[in-house]
Amino acid sequence: MKPLNPAFAVELRTSFSEQTVMTLIGARLSKVEAGHVEIELPYRTDLTQQYGYLHAGIVTTIADSACGYAAYTLMPPHSQVLSVEFKVNLLRPAKGDLFRAQADVIKAGKTLTVVRADVTATSSDDEPTLVATMLATIICLRQE
Amino acid sequence: MKPLNPAFAVELRTSFSEQTVMTLIGARLSKVEAGHVEIELPYRTDLTQQYGYLHAGIVTTIADSACGYAAYTLMPPHSQVLSVEFKVNLLRPAKGDLFRAQADVIKAGKTLTVVRADVTATSSDDEPTLVATMLATIICLRQE
Amino acid sequence: MKPLNPAFAVELRTSFSEQTVMTLIGARLSKVEAGHVEIELPYRTDLTQQYGYLHAGIVTTIADSACGYAAYTLMPPHSQVLSVEFKVNLLRPAKGDLFRAQADVIKAGKTLTVVRADVTATSSDDEPTLVATMLATIICLRQE
Amino acid sequence: MKPLNPAFAVELRTSFSEQTVMTLIGARLSKVEAGHVEIELPYRTDLTQQYGYLHAGIVTTIADSACGYAAYTLMPPHSQVLSVEFKVNLLRPAKGDLFRAQADVIKAGKTLTVVRADVTATSSDDEPTLVATMLATIICLRQE
């Protein structure tokens, strides 16, 4: 997968910094490559559902941004990305110290790009555990 | 749809108050009925994606909780609810002053319940606009 | 929802007759209105899964065509419709004498249209039972 | 992933032979391993949508059975499998001589199993092309 926009990484980082919700929840962009983006989120007690696990909506927040930006890496200059839809399967309770959403483009198209993201949880020295998987459709709009 | 747990509304409100992320984002439970739950969220500039609209993950956060709790209203006492999976279609940019997720149970089952939620946005005196729709599968576990 | 193509109903029926799989399984177009399409399928023993119920893929076949054509009714002349993606929840075993997929456009767009379809099953004199629900994204391409 | 039912392959083949729709469309079981199942379908002109491509519902039919049976390979004896829900992204027009659905279990659970299936199309001597991907939730019921 070849990037069409040589400045994609710089522009993506600027765009990420404008997603104010990422600052609110404490998420950071941890990897940016053509067709692949990772976002990390340390656990916080103010991000949970009623049993103390990370809320599925917050799992979705980092997975959705990872998917949108993974699509962005393969788009031409002056593109805007918007999520059309996504499906998330929550595979295990989202407990752990660090969550990581890893998104990979499955099919890049002119208008629509399909992206998959896995979200893992890591606790202390354990191996990461898969807690959720997303399948998303992203649309590319040309900026005026 | 008949509630099996006469205390469902009280228990649900307690559970909602334990979802710490709801306090973080400023969401409130605005309606609780058998098979139907609504959650409201006023717009805030720290909840957005890069264009200033409510982030799809935050739209999902209120829709997911509304779906889980709508399922909860029809479950027997001592039940736990967990989201198995959901799909969200983002129909329009999530802009507005107030967002409302309205969830309705489509099919209540002993183990699995299927719920639909619509999320609307309202600006000043305008009519609410549909910005997203969720279709979710919720599992009921018996608490020990 | 206003149709943009005055000939939509005639063109849709021609298109349906070119879906060879509809003849194979015995499905028929039973209603065509702006934003709404219905397809019926009588039960047959050669359309089942291992327990004798209608196979989920056949339930999907009529729901998907109903969704695509419901989107088509609101598109401009010379449009092609293709399914981008869909999600189906199978709510009850698909048993009955007659199945009916009823699709309604939720949001019509220039490029993408989101459609919901419910599939019911009817046995003898009973009321129809909801056996599945689909949420689909349809793309509109201009024919050359 | 360890099979819990030593007879899974034999039972699965018997069950597949009872899916009458597989005979109707000409699909065959081409691989059965613990956690992995493949189904093949040669193209036929009576399985198409209006442009002559394999209908999305037929793509779904082989993907859904592959997912259900992949889940079955890891279930205990006397289990029944039913699809709870699935989402399908249609990535490219389903054209080719041979279609193959390849399903892999992502997470096996006592009650729910999550499975992914990719569907490829092959034409003459070309490499297989990915035409669709499914993400499915399967439920395991104990047979009486």
Side-chain angles (χ1 to χ4, degrees):
Chain A
M1 295 183 189
K2 270 200 182 165
L4 301 170
N5 176 5
F8 77 85
V10 172
E11 290 178 13
L12 193 161
R13 287 179 187 284
T14 302
S15 176
F16 185 86
S17 72
E18 293 164 357
Q19 291 207 336
T20 60
V21 74
M22 294 297 152
T23 305
L24 180 71
I25 64 173
R28 55 187 180 239
L29 200 55
S30 51
K31 195 177 279 189
V32 176
E33 295 171 356
H36 179 84
V37 165
E38 298 187 11
I39 294 175
E40 284 182 359
L41 177 69
Y43 177 81
R44 270 183 9 205
T45 54
D46 61 350
L47 299 174
T48 78
Q49 35 84 292
Q50 69 274 29
Y51 311 125
Y53 306 138
L54 197 70
H55 193 285
I58 302 302
V59 172
T60 299
T61 300
I62 60 170
D64 174 53
S65 281
C67 284
Y69 285 128
Y72 185 83
T73 64
L74 301 179
M75 289 177 180
H78 312 296
S79 294
Q80 284 193 332
V81 290
L82 284 172
S83 298
V84 170
E85 61 82 36
F86 46 71
K87 178 212 202 298
V88 180
N89 268 76
L90 304 151
L91 304 169
R92 291 178 184 85
K95 49 182 169 184
D97 300 325
L98 183 68
F99 299 90
R100 181 177 288 119
Q102 302 174 271
D104 288 286
V105 171
I106 298 175
K107 163 73 165 58
K110 268 192 191 176
T111 306
L112 298 177
T113 292
V114 178
V115 189
R116 180 179 294 147
D118 284 339
V119 181
T120 58
T122 312
S123 297
S124 59
D125 299 336
D126 291 351
E127 289 293 296
T129 306
L130 186 65
V131 296
T133 190
M134 174 182 276
L135 184 57
T137 309
I138 311 292
I139 194 165
C140 172
L141 305 172
R142 298 291 120 77
Q143 254 173 338
E144 287 131 53
Chain B
M1 295 185 190
K2 271 201 181 163
L4 302 171
N5 177 4
F8 77 85
V10 173
E11 289 179 13
L12 192 161
R13 287 180 186 282
T14 302
S15 176
F16 185 86
S17 73
E18 292 164 358
Q19 291 206 337
T20 60
V21 74
M22 294 298 153
T23 305
L24 180 71
I25 64 174
R28 56 189 179 235
L29 200 54
S30 51
K31 194 176 281 188
V32 176
E33 295 170 353
H36 179 85
V37 165
E38 298 187 11
I39 295 175
E40 284 182 359
L41 177 70
Y43 177 80
R44 268 182 12 203
T45 55
D46 60 351
L47 298 174
T48 78
Q49 35 85 293
Q50 69 274 27
Y51 310 125
Y53 306 139
L54 197 70
H55 193 283
I58 301 303
V59 172
T60 299
T61 300
I62 59 170
D64 174 53
S65 281
C67 284
Y69 285 127
Y72 184 83
T73 64
L74 301 179
M75 288 179 181
H78 312 295
S79 294
Q80 285 193 331
V81 291
L82 285 172
S83 298
V84 170
E85 61 82 36
F86 47 71
K87 178 212 201 299
V88 180
N89 268 76
L90 304 150
L91 304 169
R92 292 177 184 85
K95 50 182 168 184
D97 300 326
L98 182 69
F99 299 90
R100 181 178 289 119
Q102 302 173 270
D104 288 287
V105 172
I106 299 176
K107 161 73 167 58
K110 269 193 191 173
T111 305
L112 298 177
T113 292
V114 178
V115 190
R116 181 179 293 145
D118 284 339
V119 182
T120 59
T122 313
S123 296
S124 57
D125 301 335
D126 291 351
E127 289 293 296
T129 307
L130 185 65
V131 296
T133 190
M134 173 182 276
L135 184 56
T137 310
I138 311 292
I139 193 166
C140 172
L141 304 173
R142 299 290 122 77
Q143 254 173 339
E144 289 130 54
Chain C
M1 296 185 188
K2 269 201 181 163
L4 302 170
N5 177 5
F8 77 85
V10 172
E11 289 178 13
L12 194 161
R13 288 179 185 283
T14 302
S15 176
F16 185 86
S17 72
E18 292 164 358
Q19 290 207 337
T20 59
V21 74
M22 295 298 153
T23 305
L24 180 71
I25 65 174
R28 54 188 180 236
L29 201 54
S30 50
K31 195 177 282 189
V32 176
E33 296 170 355
H36 179 85
V37 165
E38 298 186 11
I39 295 175
E40 285 182 357
L41 176 69
Y43 177 80
R44 267 183 10 204
T45 55
D46 60 350
L47 298 175
T48 80
Q49 34 84 294
Q50 69 274 26
Y51 311 125
Y53 306 139
L54 196 70
H55 193 283
I58 301 303
V59 172
T60 300
T61 300
I62 60 169
D64 173 55
S65 281
C67 284
Y69 285 127
Y72 185 83
T73 63
L74 301 179
M75 289 177 180
H78 311 297
S79 296
Q80 284 194 332
V81 290
L82 284 172
S83 298
V84 170
E85 61 81 39
F86 48 70
K87 179 214 201 299
V88 180
N89 267 77
L90 304 150
L91 305 169
R92 291 178 184 86
K95 48 183 168 183
D97 299 326
L98 182 70
F99 299 90
R100 181 178 288 118
Q102 301 174 271
D104 288 286
V105 171
I106 298 176
K107 161 73 166 58
K110 267 193 191 173
T111 306
L112 298 177
T113 292
V114 177
V115 189
R116 181 178 293 145
D118 285 338
V119 181
T120 58
T122 312
S123 296
S124 56
D125 299 334
D126 291 350
E127 289 293 294
T129 307
L130 186 64
V131 296
T133 189
M134 174 182 276
L135 184 57
T137 309
I138 309 292
I139 194 165
C140 171
L141 304 172
R142 298 291 123 76
Q143 254 173 339
E144 288 129 53
Chain D
M1 296 185 188
K2 269 200 182 166
L4 301 170
N5 177 3
F8 78 83
V10 172
E11 289 178 15
L12 193 162
R13 287 180 186 282
T14 301
S15 175
F16 184 87
S17 73
E18 292 164 356
Q19 290 207 337
T20 59
V21 74
M22 295 298 151
T23 304
L24 179 72
I25 65 175
R28 55 187 179 235
L29 200 55
S30 51
K31 195 176 282 189
V32 176
E33 294 170 357
H36 179 85
V37 165
E38 298 187 11
I39 295 174
E40 284 182 359
L41 177 68
Y43 178 81
R44 272 185 4 206
T45 54
D46 60 351
L47 299 174
T48 80
Q49 34 84 292
Q50 69 275 27
Y51 311 126
Y53 306 139
L54 196 70
H55 193 284
I58 302 302
V59 172
T60 299
T61 300
I62 59 170
D64 173 53
S65 281
C67 284
Y69 284 128
Y72 185 83
T73 64
L74 301 179
M75 289 177 180
H78 311 296
S79 296
Q80 284 194 332
V81 291
L82 285 172
S83 298
V84 170
E85 61 82 38
F86 47 71
K87 178 215 201 297
V88 180
N89 268 77
L90 304 150
L91 305 169
R92 293 177 182 86
K95 51 181 166 183
D97 299 325
L98 183 69
F99 299 90
R100 181 178 289 120
Q102 301 174 272
D104 287 285
V105 172
I106 298 176
K107 162 74 165 59
K110 267 192 191 175
T111 306
L112 298 177
T113 291
V114 177
V115 189
R116 180 179 293 144
D118 284 338
V119 181
T120 58
T122 311
S123 296
S124 56
D125 300 334
D126 291 350
E127 287 294 295
T129 306
L130 186 65
V131 296
T133 190
M134 172 182 278
L135 184 56
T137 309
I138 310 292
I139 195 166
C140 173
L141 305 172
R142 297 291 122 77
Q143 255 174 338
E144 290 131 50

